[in-house]
């Protein structure tokens, strides 16, 4: 079976250009995970590379299927130059390793929490997983492999994450939209939740 990571990297590069930096992280008991950085105008994007090497499996399954199951990579987009966002590399790698480490299936609508600021001074400790397909198209793989989905991450403050748990994903998205929230602003505060 072909290694999917070169195909994934090629898809990222075709959509986002060549990365200007990359970092590798390995956690005990997991495969190596890289985070690639791409610049496009005043936007910097960070993308995991390695999360899709293995399919995510249902944490309640007795045995993980080595072939079938959803595959994904994560993409975080922020405005450049406003904060030291390059420090997000390790938290992003932690999120990318969570399917292997914690047995979670990362899907749109999920909240992922790293328990600390995503970068120094950030008011965000978690992210909302958004719908794929806008920035980077899904990568179809040969049968029986599931396609690789490129999932955008939207930083959330602890208050926004708590509000989402109570009111749901759609209510939070509507709140952001109605207040004109710039979700790529790395120094933004919480949206008004009254």
């Amino acid at each position: 079976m072909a290694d999917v990571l070169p195909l994934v990297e090629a898809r990222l590069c075709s959509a986002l250009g060549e990365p200007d930096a990359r970092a590798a992280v390995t956690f005990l008991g997991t495969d190596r995970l890289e985070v690639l950085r791409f610049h496009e105008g005043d936007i910097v994007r960070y993308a995991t590379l390695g999360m899709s090497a293995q399919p995510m499996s249902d944490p309640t399954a007795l045995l993980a299927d080595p072939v079938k199951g959803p595959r994904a990579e994560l993409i975080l987009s922020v405005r450049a130059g406003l904060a030291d966002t390059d420090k997000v590399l390790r938290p992003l790698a932690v999120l990318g390793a969570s399917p292997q480490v914690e047995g979670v299936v990362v899907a749109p609508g999920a909240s992922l929490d790293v328990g600390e600021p995503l970068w120094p001074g950030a008011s965000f400790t978690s992210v909302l997983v958004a719908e794929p397909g806008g920035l980077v198209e899904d990568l179809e793989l040969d049968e029986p492999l599931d396609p690789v989905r490129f999932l955008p991450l939207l930083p959330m403050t602890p208050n926004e994450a708590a509000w989402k748990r109570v009111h749901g994903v759609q209510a939070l998205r509507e709140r952001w939209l109605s207040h004109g929230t710039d979700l790529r602003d790395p120094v933004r505060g919480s949206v008004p939740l009254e």
Side-chain angles (χ1 to χ4, degrees):
M1 195 157 308
D3 182 4
V4 303
L5 295 185
L7 302 173
V8 170
E9 184 169 359
R11 176 58 55 94
L12 284 168
C13 292
S14 70
L16 305 176
E18 287 299 313
D20 65 354
R22 63 194 317 140
V25 180
T26 305
F27 301 100
L28 187 63
T30 67
D31 296 330
R32 177 176 179 221
L33 196 102
E34 288 187 273
V35 178
L36 310 181
R37 183 181 70 189
F38 302 86
H39 270 98
E40 181 185 332
D42 70 335
I43 302 295
V44 61
R45 301 187 200 285
Y46 302 93
T48 60
L49 178 63
M51 183 176 164
S52 62
Q54 304 294 326
M56 294 180 275
S57 56
D58 183 340
T60 62
L62 293 175
L63 291 173
D65 189 322
V67 176
K68 291 292 289 171
R71 294 175 189 260
E73 297 289 354
L74 308 174
I75 301 176
L76 174 69
S77 301
V78 292
R79 297 206 177 282
L82 300 176
D84 188 9
T85 56
D86 280 352
K87 300 285 195 230
V88 78
L89 299 177
R90 184 164 180 78
L92 196 54
V94 167
L95 296 178
S98 61
Q100 283 186 55
V101 175
E102 299 172 24
V104 298
V105 175
V106 178
S111 298
L112 304 174
D113 196 314
V114 294
E116 62 185 23
L118 292 176
W119 51 82
S123 58
F124 318 108
T125 59
S126 63
V127 293
L128 174 65
V129 181
E131 293 292 330
L135 190 60
V136 182
E137 287 184 33
D138 291 354
L139 174 63
E140 296 295 330
L141 300 173
D142 293 337
E143 290 289 335
L145 303 180
D146 288 21
V148 176
R149 301 170 84 197
F150 298 89
L151 302 172
L153 300 180
L154 308 175
M156 290 190 296
T157 66
N159 285 347
E160 290 169 341
W163 202 81
K164 177 213 167 242
R165 280 192 297 276
V166 173
H167 299 282
V169 175
Q170 192 55 38
L172 178 59
R173 285 186 181 140
E174 288 170 7
R175 182 66 53 145
W176 281 337
L177 192 60
S178 69
H179 285 85
T181 306
D182 180 0
L183 297 174
R184 295 189 273 193
D185 180 354
V187 295
R188 76 171 179 87
S190 186
V191 70
L193 299 171
E194 300 299 318

